[in-house]
Amino acid sequence: MIEKNRERDLAFADRHFDARIVENVEDYVADGIVVNLSAEPVLIGKQVPTALHPWRSTMLVNELIGSAERIAVLKISELENFGGVMLRGWQWFGDVFDGFPRQTPLYLSPSDSVGQVKVDPRQFTRETCGGGREQLFEIKLKCWWSPNETDCFIHNEHPFLEVHTQIMGQGRMQKFRDRKASTIYEDVIMTPGFTHEAFCTVGGPNQWVYPWHRYYTDTESVWLAVELHPQ
Ligand SMILES: [Fe+2]
């Protein structure tokens, strides 16, 4: 029998940041931002259970989740000195990505592999409502931190599918016609508890086509990256 409500801290949990993964969820009370990390809807709420769709998120206050395959639950537990992430094991992005602008204060947490999932990638990208071929992916979670008004770099390549959930602060996910901030054509406002829809389409087997895009902070922000890596 599989243990119910099996939970553990995520790799980036610390005394400022309550971050956990819960699997085989059954009648679990969650307090914080809940992300559905499964291909099935999750029913949330005791009195009138309502659906949280795959790869979407919401903010719960001590509320019941009836059942779910896998969720993340995240809450900032200590704001004082939260911005010292670089002194608690988070890395400056330029140390892992060559050519990143030397003066951009973008930091990333350790990454955590939380399991595998079978997904129709075109359903993940919302190009279809499902019915396509499912594919096996490894789910990896990590977090990003930047202070206010940070340009977190315009890019258009990823070997994985990704979405982001805002955990703290206000920011934006933006799309561009070209690799230049002035060519912006879409601005998706990110606020705590919100996950944007996938920015990419499926170009072919394991080919994910992204427009030029970036994350931009309005205020000091923490945002979660949910990555689906093809297996
Ligand atoms: Fe990206």
Side-chain angles (χ1 to χ4, degrees), residues 39 58 73 104 107 109 127 139 146 154 158 162 212 223-224:
T58 189
V73 185
T104 301
Y107 292 83
S109 77
E127 292 171 89
I139 308 172
S146 279
I154 300 177
H158 289 294
E162 69 170 9
W212 291 109
W223 61 107
L224 171 76

Side-chain angles (χ1 to χ4, degrees), residues 71-99:
I71 56 171
V73 185
L74 308 119
K75 190 173 189 174
I76 304 295
S77 46
E78 173 61 62
L79 256 183
E80 189 172 307
N81 291 330
F82 190 95
V85 289
M86 66 293 291
L87 307 170
R88 302 196 299 272
W90 296 34
Q91 280 180 295
W92 176 59
F93 187 50
D95 286 337
V96 295
F97 181 79
D98 276 347

Side-chain angles (χ1 to χ4, degrees), residues 1-229:
M1 209 180 87
I2 308 166
E3 183 193 348
K4 76 172 195 178
N5 296 325
R6 185 173 62 204
E7 65 182 304
R8 67 168 174 85
D9 278 352
L10 288 162
F12 41 85
D14 62 24
R15 82 179 177 82
H16 297 262
F17 194 5
D18 191 346
R20 60 188 69 186
I21 185 93
V22 193
E23 294 177 300
N24 307 314
V25 177
E26 208 180 306
D27 293 339
Y28 181 85
V29 176
D31 187 37
I33 293 166
V34 174
V35 188
N36 181 359
L37 299 173
S38 76
E40 297 296 323
V42 167
L43 289 181
I44 275 171
K46 191 177 166 71
Q47 288 176 331
V48 182
T50 55
L52 179 66
H53 273 223
W55 320 111
R56 308 299 296 167
S57 56
T58 189
M59 200 186 289
L60 292 187
V61 183
N62 293 317
E63 188 49 74
L64 191 79
I65 300 175
S67 71
E69 185 182 313
R70 181 186 288 113
I71 56 171
V73 185
L74 308 119
K75 190 173 189 174
I76 304 295
S77 46
E78 173 61 62
L79 256 183
E80 189 172 307
N81 291 330
F82 190 95
V85 289
M86 66 293 291
L87 307 170
R88 302 196 299 272
W90 296 34
Q91 280 180 295
W92 176 59
F93 187 50
D95 286 337
V96 295
F97 181 79
D98 276 347
F100 189 71
R102 188 66 196 104
Q103 296 184 355
T104 301
L106 172 63
Y107 292 83
L108 79 158
S109 77
S111 170
D112 199 325
S113 173
V114 299
Q116 294 189 325
V117 67
K118 270 192 171 165
V119 177
D120 168 2
R122 284 195 168 84
Q123 188 171 15
F124 182 91
T125 60
R126 295 166 185 267
E127 292 171 89
T128 67
C129 295
R133 201 170 68 84
E134 289 187 338
Q135 192 182 332
L136 190 65
F137 291 88
E138 178 185 5
I139 308 172
K140 290 186 182 179
L141 304 181
K142 64 183 181 227
C143 281
W144 297 92
W145 176 90
S146 279
N148 64 318
E149 303 290 339
T150 303
D151 162 11
C152 299
F153 202 60
I154 300 177
H155 58 288
N156 70 351
E157 283 180 82
H158 289 294
F160 48 77
L161 298 167
E162 69 170 9
V163 289
H164 302 91
T165 304
Q166 189 78 11
I167 306 300
M168 181 181 97
Q170 303 290 326
R172 303 142 192 270
M173 280 292 294
Q174 302 175 316
K175 294 178 189 164
F176 304 88
R177 292 185 188 91
D178 211 336
R179 197 174 198 169
K180 250 169 72 182
S182 60
T183 66
I184 186 168
Y185 69 87
E186 188 176 351
D187 209 9
V188 179
I189 302 300
M190 300 283 288
T191 201
F194 178 75
T195 300
H196 67 83
E197 293 182 354
F199 268 29
C200 63
T201 59
V202 181
N206 292 339
Q207 282 177 12
W208 324 119
V209 183
Y210 284 86
W212 291 109
H213 66 281
R214 77 171 169 190
Y215 184 90
Y216 188 93
T217 64
D218 290 325
T219 65
E220 178 189 354
S221 288
V222 175
W223 61 107
L224 171 76
V226 177
E227 301 172 353
L228 268 60
H229 294 251

